Amino acid sequence: MTTTLIHGGTVISATGRQELDVLIDGETIAALIQPGSTPFGPGLAENVDHLVDATDKYVIPGGVDAHTHMQMPFGGTTASDTFETGTFAAAMGGTTTIVDFAIQTPGTAVLDTLGQWHEKAAGNCAIDYGFHQIIGDVNADSLSAIGQLITEGVSSVKLFMAYPGVYYSTDGQILRAMQRCADVGALMMMHAENGIAIDELVAQHLERGETSPYYHGLSRPWQLEEEATHRAIMLADVTKVPLYVVHVSAKQALEQIATARGNGANVFAETCPQYLYLSLEEHLGAPGFEGAKWVCSTPLRSRAEGHQDELWRFIRTGDVTGVATDHCPFCMKGQKEMGLGDFSKIPNGIGGVEHRMNLMYQGVVDGRMSLERWVQVCSTEPARMFGMYPRKGVISPGADADVVIYDPHARTEIGLGATHHMNMDHSAWEGFSIDGGIAVVFSRGKRIVDDGTYLGSRTDGRFVRRGVSQNLI
């Protein structure tokens, strides 16, 4: 097998940092070696196949993005990134594992839809991948299938309190699904917004002629996210199921989660870079139809109300378990422009799978969090949350050699040029500048990115059969 020694770097883990050399043997990490020691005898550097200099750089576990939507059908169109293009972009940005969503819609069988997503992804992924299962039709058959999902390595189920007529589940259906997940050890994921009330607000805005993208945000106020989050927590408490609330954008919703966690509940929060950096006023409120670039659900929140700062605080306190992207890209031309004159028809989604690691590192530079917390929320905790640890999310002997060498002295200018590989005609992050950058990316021991050059293949990625969550109390 091929051997690689990464030497001279500082290994960053969720619990600390240390100057260590990393020995890779084939697809796994073989050893962590203190500089100057010779546990394998003298001459190790001369006898490995590849020697990689990481002097003055950080060596971190590859990013784990636990929330993506490649090739997702939505609102009469399909997300513009395929598994091939989306995972290529992820690799360029230092993410080495994604967990995407297979989607069951009414009238289809859960396991059939999982099979369809396997067909989309197999042989078309630059990095490793797993699946969550969306259940859009809660009935006896779909509930029964949850047990089979566990044996298939799909240990998390997602329901929606939003989108009536599409994915929406009633409280009774949610209760039944939570009971089933609790019985078989599955994790319940929830899109927590009060969809019934939102649809009424949408109709009222349109009746008044308020059709621009800005009203997407106003029609989904934070109160309806907080209310749904609290309701999901209470239903989870009744059923004793672990609950993971996706893409939390409102500080009040996170306060509900923090309170539940403080009371000892297995409740977990995910947020996304867009909710940390972007805002209702500056982005959804951009002139003309420009705000459509940033239409997503949950929506961007008001900076004047302090949501962004509070979400960063909840990351520091540990009440945010993981930072994902909810990567669901749509082009402006032919897709977002479907909502010209009616914001409710704009496909919901922002592209970001390529930029998460850099954007979150900027939070370190800005004093928002520590290096260790950066690694924890971007790699280690997602791997633990979704049953992939210690194979993923950590630099440790026996783990997959998913390794990123990060250069804190680099500078990354985000835009449609060299730092944009997603299949989109715009960038939600155009003009952002990062005080750092991806230098080298290894996926299971194979160097797939080196100084901005892609060295991998669309067939490099493998399906990850996940176990049950390892993050429960």
Side-chain angles (χ1 to χ4, degrees):
M1 282 190 272
T2 301
T3 54
T4 300
L5 183 66
I6 302 171
H7 76 97
T10 301
V11 174
I12 310 295
S13 74
T15 55
R17 63 191 83 175
Q18 189 175 1
E19 292 184 8
L20 294 168
D21 292 347
V22 180
L23 178 63
I24 298 171
D25 187 3
E27 296 190 346
T28 62
I29 295 170
L32 302 181
I33 305 166
Q34 290 188 344
S37 67
T38 55
F40 296 94
L44 174 62
E46 290 77 19
N47 289 302
V48 294
D49 297 303
H50 303 288
L51 186 65
V52 181
D53 185 4
T55 302
D56 296 328
K57 298 179 176 67
Y58 301 134
V59 182
I60 64 173
V64 178
D65 190 344
H67 190 154
T68 67
H69 295 286
M70 309 300 177
Q71 294 177 237
M72 176 184 175
F74 186 88
T77 187
T78 301
S80 57
D81 262 323
T82 63
F83 278 93
E84 180 178 356
T85 64
T87 57
F88 160 56
M92 295 297 290
T95 287
T96 54
T97 306
I98 63 166
V99 190
D100 207 82
F101 287 83
I103 303 173
Q104 181 227 15
T105 54
T108 63
V110 168
L111 295 178
D112 288 347
T113 58
L114 176 60
Q116 292 167 12
W117 257 257
H118 273 298
E119 290 175 7
K120 293 180 185 183
N124 292 306
C125 288
I127 56 175
D128 288 353
Y129 62 95
F131 291 122
H132 311 289
Q133 179 69 53
I134 290 173
I135 295 183
D137 188 9
V138 178
N139 56 41
D141 289 340
S142 58
L143 293 175
S144 176
I146 294 174
Q148 183 62 30
L149 289 174
I150 298 288
T151 66
E152 296 289 331
V154 178
S155 53
S156 43
V157 168
K158 182 182 177 183
L159 297 183
F160 287 78
M161 295 169 138
Y163 304 123
V166 184
Y167 301 129
Y168 174 79
S169 294
T170 67
D171 287 356
Q173 290 172 320
I174 291 169
L175 181 77
R176 293 176 63 203
M178 284 182 167
Q179 290 171 329
R180 176 62 173 157
C181 286
D183 286 343
V184 300
L187 175 70
M188 174 58 68
M189 307 174 74
M190 190 64 67
H191 179 133
E193 289 184 290
N194 187 323
I196 301 297
I198 286 169
D199 276 10
E200 181 58 36
L201 291 176
V202 168
Q204 291 175 10
H205 282 299
L206 294 176
E207 286 170 6
R208 292 193 293 264
E210 297 165 345
T211 63
S212 73
Y214 181 70
Y215 293 99
H216 171 78
L218 294 190
S219 67
R220 310 180 90 94
W222 62 260
Q223 291 91 338
L224 299 186
E225 183 182 356
E226 182 188 21
E227 182 278 328
T229 300
H230 177 73
R231 185 158 33 104
I233 291 169
M234 293 297 98
L235 290 169
D237 187 49
V238 168
T239 58
K240 305 308 177 189
V241 72
L243 174 67
Y244 182 90
V245 184
V246 298
H247 50 54
V248 181
S249 65
K251 63 181 182 180
Q252 295 87 352
L254 255 169
E255 286 168 359
Q256 293 287 336
I257 293 167
T259 297
R261 289 171 59 80
N263 290 330
N266 275 312
V267 178
F268 306 91
E270 165 197 284
T271 195
C272 308
Q274 53 265 35
Y275 305 123
L276 300 169
Y277 286 105
L278 309 179
S279 75
L280 170 70
E281 300 93 339
E282 299 160 83
H283 297 91
L284 283 177
F289 193 64
E290 281 296 293
K293 294 177 180 178
W294 297 284
V295 165
C296 60
S297 296
T298 55
L300 306 183
R301 298 297 178 191
S302 169
R303 195 176 303 280
E305 294 176 351
H307 295 277
Q308 294 79 3
D309 288 342
E310 282 296 281
L311 264 59
W312 280 111
R313 181 175 71 84
F314 281 117
I315 288 176
R316 290 194 299 275
T317 62
D319 290 300
V320 169
T321 297
V323 176
T325 58
D326 191 13
H327 178 78
C328 192
F330 298 98
C331 293
M332 286 290 280
K333 185 174 179 58
Q335 293 190 302
K336 292 280 191 178
E337 67 184 13
M338 293 166 64
L340 278 165
D342 183 348
F343 69 84
S344 69
K345 291 183 171 57
I346 301 171
N348 285 211
I350 289 178
V353 73
E354 185 170 1
H355 304 311
R356 180 183 64 117
M357 298 299 288
N358 275 323
L359 289 165
M360 296 311 296
Y361 178 73
Q362 189 62 43
V364 176
V365 175
D366 294 342
R368 299 280 197 170
M369 63 178 175
S370 67
L371 279 168
E372 290 82 1
R373 192 73 181 127
W374 173 48
V375 167
Q376 190 170 17
V377 298
C378 290
S379 302
T380 308
E381 288 300 282
R384 293 183 67 228
M385 192 76 244
F386 296 106
M388 295 181 284
Y389 184 90
R391 179 179 172 187
K392 304 291 186 184
V394 65
I395 294 180
S396 179
D400 284 355
D402 297 340
V403 180
V404 172
I405 301 175
Y406 197 86
D407 185 356
H409 307 290
R411 192 160 184 85
T412 303
E413 305 292 339
I414 300 178
L416 287 175
T419 60
H420 181 100
H421 300 89
M422 298 173 291
N423 187 29
M424 301 174 67
D425 61 3
H426 68 280
S427 173
W429 304 100
E430 187 76 37
F432 272 65
S433 185
I434 306 298
D435 295 311
I438 305 296
V440 181
V441 179
F442 290 88
S443 175
R444 278 184 288 102
K446 178 179 178 179
R447 192 180 333 197
I448 60 172
V449 177
D450 192 342
D451 194 25
T453 299
Y454 179 61
L455 306 174
S457 161
R458 68 181 178 88
T459 61
D460 286 337
R462 295 179 189 165
F463 174 65
V464 179
R465 298 177 65 89
R466 298 185 293 112
V468 297
S469 178
Q470 299 148 297
N471 209 31
L472 309 184
I473 58 175

